[in-house]
Amino acid sequence: MRINQIIDYFMIVALIFISGNIAFRSKEFLFIGFGLSLIIFIYRKAKFDMPFVYFLIGLLIITILQGFKFNFFPVVTYLGVFMRILFTYFLIKSIDDFAKKFITIMYYFAIISLVFLFFTYLIPAVGDLARTKLSIVTVQEIRHSILGIYTLIDGLEYKNAGPFWEMGAFGGFLILTLILNYLRDQVLLNKINVVLIITILSTQSSTAYIALLAFLFFIFLNKTKDVLLKILVVASILSMSYVAYMNLEFLGQKIEKQWQEAKDLVDLPNLEGEGTDRFITMLKDWRDFKGHEIIGRGTHASTRYSASIYDYNSETDTRTVGSTDIIVRYGLPFFFWILFLMYKSFSSYSKRFSRDGEYMGGSIVFIMLLLLTSETYFLNPLFWMVIMLQYVYVADKTDNVKVSKFYNLNK
């Protein structure tokens, strides 16, 4: 393997770890990763895309306006935001076929996670050994980073968190990987996708399950041309989804319980400390959002939370819904801008390999919104790739079929 490829894979692994591995949470790792990505970007003579520059300028204007609004300029915090975005952009622009290398790495992480899950759950002694001898970081006394590549959570050994901080996060990034790999050759049941799907199921994340079912629904709806058969396919998928929702405890019962808990808290004047489930979080974010619809409240804790502007408590003011979180931070117009860029990005990527770009672009934005109901993905560098694929994967409008065949031959 050439030195450039080694650097590419190393940097993508670093990006993944800094985006959710509990052993790499320190800001120093972000700073180092950003610095290395900038060096690679410059050394390989990559160039900025003007639409992306406009995006950065727009975000800068929003942060400046927020500073004047609250008379508070948290420069270090906003530098962190731009570093996270640019970290991913520099790598996407300077690494040849970034998506393919990302898919390969996530595929091997999926296999590694299944091995760890099998032994730590079925053989408790292995789990105990891993906690005491192989754990390099422990968070909240229950999350253990095993050798930095697998997260073991006490009491949830039967759920697969992979190298990320929890199962939902791993499931979300696996869904993203599955989508990127499927769009390359439009084949669902190849070796990589089968492993990814099995690993998604092993996370037992309700959001990942729903997103997977939605993705399968859109695939079969798109591929099935006969109207009667399409109706049967849709009916079958909806029926299976209903059965899964009603019978799997971490789907139907979990969601209905969270919904009822949120309903019981609607009239409370202060919701801080009441929980971090998705519907309670949405309710909190709705209250934070009021009066700050256009440019948001900013990303610093002193302004982000309405109930604790002057008394921030990191343990109680936690948000877990990615879509409402970014709306509160930067306003509704910025959120719609992100959705538009996300649509363009996936459409461009999909068209690079097939003729279904427009359809899959809209469908996948919906799936991304599903994922954002459970995790604040945009607080991590890696997830920003969903708006950046358009800058390196440009559709060949003259002959998409030849392009697709070319990439299939070079896998």
Side-chain angles (χ1 to χ4, degrees):
M1 183 180 291
R2 295 185 304 170
I3 184 64
N4 283 343
Q5 288 186 314
I6 294 175
I7 293 173
D8 291 349
Y9 282 108
F10 173 81
M11 289 305 300
I12 295 176
V13 170
L15 177 63
I16 292 171
F17 280 3
I18 293 171
S19 297
N21 189 302
I22 62 174
F24 295 85
R25 301 173 68 192
S26 171
K27 294 179 181 178
E28 287 75 15
F29 286 116
L30 172 62
F31 182 79
I32 294 171
F34 168 78
L36 292 175
S37 68
L38 175 59
I39 292 172
I40 294 172
F41 182 81
I42 295 173
Y43 179 77
R44 295 182 178 178
K45 299 179 181 179
K47 296 181 179 179
F48 276 99
D49 300 275
M50 286 311 299
F52 180 70
V53 174
Y54 298 146
F55 172 79
L56 293 179
I57 293 173
L59 181 57
L60 179 62
I61 291 173
I62 290 174
T63 58
I64 292 173
L65 291 176
Q66 290 172 346
F68 283 113
K69 180 177 182 178
F70 293 101
N71 193 27
F72 180 61
F73 293 88
V75 177
V76 174
T77 299
Y78 286 125
L79 280 177
V81 172
F82 283 94
M83 285 173 61
R84 287 177 175 86
I85 296 172
L86 287 168
F87 182 12
T88 302
Y89 178 78
F90 288 154
L91 293 185
I92 284 181
K93 287 292 293 183
S94 56
I95 292 178
D96 182 49
D97 203 351
F98 174 93
K100 183 178 180 180
K101 291 182 174 69
F102 169 74
I103 291 167
T104 301
I105 291 170
M106 287 297 293
Y107 167 69
Y108 284 112
F109 275 139
I111 293 175
I112 292 170
S113 73
L114 291 175
V115 173
F116 272 100
L117 178 68
F118 176 82
F119 284 105
T120 57
Y121 177 58
L122 293 182
I123 309 176
V126 173
D128 295 336
L129 176 65
R131 289 184 187 87
T132 57
K133 302 296 184 181
L134 303 179
S135 177
I136 62 174
V137 170
T138 298
V139 177
Q140 297 172 336
E141 302 301 323
I142 61 170
R143 301 176 191 272
H144 312 273
S145 180
I146 309 302
L147 299 176
I149 58 176
Y150 185 75
T151 302
L152 185 62
I153 303 177
D154 292 346
L156 298 176
E157 291 86 356
Y158 56 95
K159 294 185 178 183
N160 188 355
F164 294 92
W165 71 91
E166 65 115 20
M167 293 69 65
F170 189 33
F173 283 117
L174 287 169
I175 291 288
L176 177 58
T177 308
L178 176 66
I179 290 171
L180 293 176
N181 196 51
Y182 172 79
L183 293 180
R184 297 183 75 91
D185 56 13
Q186 302 290 307
V187 175
L188 179 61
L189 298 180
N190 57 30
K191 178 181 67 174
I192 292 178
N193 289 346
V194 169
V195 171
L196 292 175
I197 291 172
I198 292 173
T199 311
I200 290 169
L201 296 177
S202 73
T203 66
Q204 298 190 43
S205 163
S206 56
T207 303
Y209 275 43
I210 293 171
L212 176 61
L213 289 171
F215 185 51
L216 296 177
F217 174 83
F218 287 127
I219 288 175
F220 289 118
L221 190 64
N222 186 40
K223 292 295 185 182
T224 307
K225 303 304 179 183
D226 183 84
V227 176
L228 179 58
L229 183 58
K230 183 173 292 192
I231 293 174
L232 292 175
V233 168
V234 171
S236 299
I237 294 177
L238 291 178
S239 298
M240 288 188 294
S241 301
Y242 177 78
V243 171
Y245 180 86
M246 296 301 296
N247 291 279
L248 295 177
E249 182 179 352
F250 58 89
L251 274 179
Q253 293 182 33
K254 176 182 176 181
I255 293 173
E256 290 175 10
K257 178 183 177 182
Q258 291 178 357
W259 173 257
Q260 185 59 49
E261 289 175 347
K263 285 178 62 178
D264 294 339
L265 299 175
V266 168
D267 296 326
L268 286 183
N270 187 350
L271 296 173
E272 301 310 322
E274 290 296 338
T276 59
D277 291 339
R278 75 191 70 197
F279 296 118
I280 296 177
T281 295
M282 288 179 181
L283 188 57
K284 292 179 181 180
D285 283 341
W286 169 247
R287 295 188 180 184
D288 293 336
F289 174 68
K290 291 180 180 178
H292 307 276
E293 294 84 356
I294 305 303
I295 62 171
R297 304 185 63 100
T299 196
H300 193 275
S302 298
T303 61
R304 165 62 179 84
Y305 306 99
S306 59
S308 54
I309 293 179
Y310 302 107
D311 185 21
Y312 172 66
N313 186 319
S314 61
E315 293 184 358
T316 59
D317 295 292
T318 301
R319 299 293 188 266
T320 58
V321 178
S323 54
T324 55
D325 177 73
I326 201 165
I327 290 172
V328 174
R329 290 175 187 271
Y330 303 111
L332 195 58
F334 183 79
F335 178 69
F336 285 138
W337 191 8
I338 284 182
L339 293 183
F340 172 71
L341 293 176
M342 197 185 299
Y343 170 77
K344 287 190 61 179
S345 191
F346 280 111
S347 290
S348 181
Y349 181 85
S350 184
K351 288 178 185 178
R352 188 70 176 92
F353 306 103
S354 74
R355 299 186 180 189
D356 298 324
E358 294 291 347
Y359 176 86
M360 293 309 296
S363 304
I364 292 167
V365 169
F366 175 78
I367 296 172
M368 293 299 107
L369 285 173
L370 287 177
L371 295 181
L372 285 168
T373 62
S374 68
E375 303 289 348
T376 52
Y377 287 108
F378 280 115
L379 295 183
N380 303 291
L382 178 59
F383 198 75
W384 285 99
M385 70 183 289
V386 300
I387 71 169
M388 300 175 185
L389 296 170
Q390 59 185 302
Y391 303 128
V392 288
Y393 295 95
V394 181
D396 185 340
K397 297 181 180 179
T398 59
D399 196 345
N400 280 4
V401 176
K402 289 183 179 179
V403 171
S404 179
K405 289 181 178 179
F406 172 81
Y407 275 92
N408 286 335
L409 289 173
N410 286 275
K411 285 191 172 184

